[in-house]
Amino acid sequence: MACGRSDASPVGRQGEVKDLTAAVGWISREPVRVTTDTAEATGQGVMEAQRRTGTMSYTLKKNDRMILVTRYEEDVYFAMLNVPGVSFGTHYSLSRSEVPAGSYLDVDPNDPGGARRLVDAVVSVQSDGEQAATGKRRLAGAVDLTATWYADEDLCRKFGDKARAIPFNATVDDQGRLVEFVIELRALASEMGDARTNWAALGVPTNPKRPARSQPAGDVRSLLEAFES
């Protein structure tokens, strides 16, 4: 089967989706720190939608390879560490339009950490109530994985429609801001674990720099394959 959401229309989405949609808005209005953690890699960085800039670094858990990504308006720069045959001092560049969707290079300051894409993929949600001590709220429900970057053709073929309703939980802070989103990928296979993304207000503007020197990425997919191998 091909990946692709079967119910892209919000009609039929159940529960407190409006609350979750409202909670995600702040992420594209303020400079934010983004952290991610999956079975494959950890990531961290800062992004600012207003300036169309962002930086992220990812480290693969299996071999400690690292990729450093800078998005500057419509240009993307990256360097890799611990990848055989690739010098860490080499910065590659490419246009945003050339970035493979869902790859480690897919840094989008307009949607830091993919917050809005995740919320748009939610098919049902309900509140577990407010924590009296912190004022935080926990939301839980199901997300259509095929509408996110976590799904590819192989995953869709392997799991079929099961991938269209994967459990998630999210945390909204005492100011009504989405600060955590966790997809329970282990519902598909235990070794997939959970995919966790956190957002925190940075409080100060970001200040990314274009690398002083870079070379065209060329066959960017081969470079990404070398990084992930």
Side-chain angles (χ1 to χ4, degrees):
M1 66 177 283
C3 282
R5 189 168 177 176
S6 59
D7 62 340
S9 166
V11 175
R13 299 171 76 192
Q14 300 175 0
E16 301 177 48
V17 177
K18 289 184 178 179
D19 287 356
L20 196 54
T21 301
V24 79
W26 79 276
I27 293 172
S28 61
R29 294 192 298 265
E30 299 183 28
V32 296
R33 182 175 302 281
V34 182
T35 57
T36 63
D37 190 1
T38 69
E40 293 79 28
T42 58
Q44 59 182 341
V46 296
M47 299 191 204
E48 188 172 358
Q50 301 300 317
R51 298 177 65 183
R52 299 166 61 207
T53 59
T55 61
M56 286 293 295
S57 66
Y58 297 97
T59 303
L60 298 184
K61 294 181 178 180
K62 64 182 180 181
N63 53 22
D64 282 334
R65 291 179 182 174
M66 180 182 292
I67 187 167
L68 311 174
V69 186
T70 297
R71 168 77 182 274
Y72 202 103
E73 298 177 347
E74 292 306 306
D75 297 318
V76 177
Y77 305 87
F78 68 98
M80 297 186 288
L81 176 65
N82 297 333
V83 179
V86 178
S87 170
F88 177 66
T90 302
H91 278 87
Y92 298 96
S93 61
L94 69 163
S95 166
R96 175 69 180 85
S97 62
E98 300 173 292
V99 170
S103 71
Y104 288 107
L105 302 181
D106 193 5
V107 172
D108 185 1
N110 293 311
D111 188 17
R116 195 168 298 281
R117 282 176 285 177
L118 290 172
V119 170
D120 286 347
V122 166
V123 293
S124 65
V125 60
Q126 55 278 333
S127 174
D128 284 356
E130 183 176 305
Q131 300 173 3
T134 64
K136 293 182 178 180
R137 293 177 59 208
R138 186 175 181 274
L139 303 172
V143 62
D144 182 350
L145 199 66
T146 69
T148 75
W149 57 92
Y150 292 109
D152 56 21
E153 296 295 336
D154 289 341
L155 183 142
C156 290
R157 279 193 295 268
K158 183 175 181 179
F159 296 107
D161 284 341
K162 187 177 180 181
R164 298 188 184 279
I166 304 302
F168 82 90
N169 63 79
T171 301
V172 176
D173 71 8
D174 58 354
Q175 298 181 52
R177 305 179 301 184
L178 178 68
V179 293
E180 182 176 69
F181 197 104
V182 181
I183 302 177
E184 298 173 12
L185 296 177
R186 64 180 184 273
L188 291 176
S190 59
E191 64 272 16
M192 295 179 71
D194 293 340
R196 183 183 307 272
T197 306
N198 293 82
W199 299 268
L202 200 57
V204 295
T206 62
N207 189 31
K209 305 289 186 182
R210 292 183 189 267
R213 296 179 180 178
S214 64
Q215 65 182 53
D219 188 355
V220 65
R221 292 184 184 275
S222 291
L223 286 170
L224 289 171
E225 287 174 5
F227 170 66
E228 297 179 52
S229 64

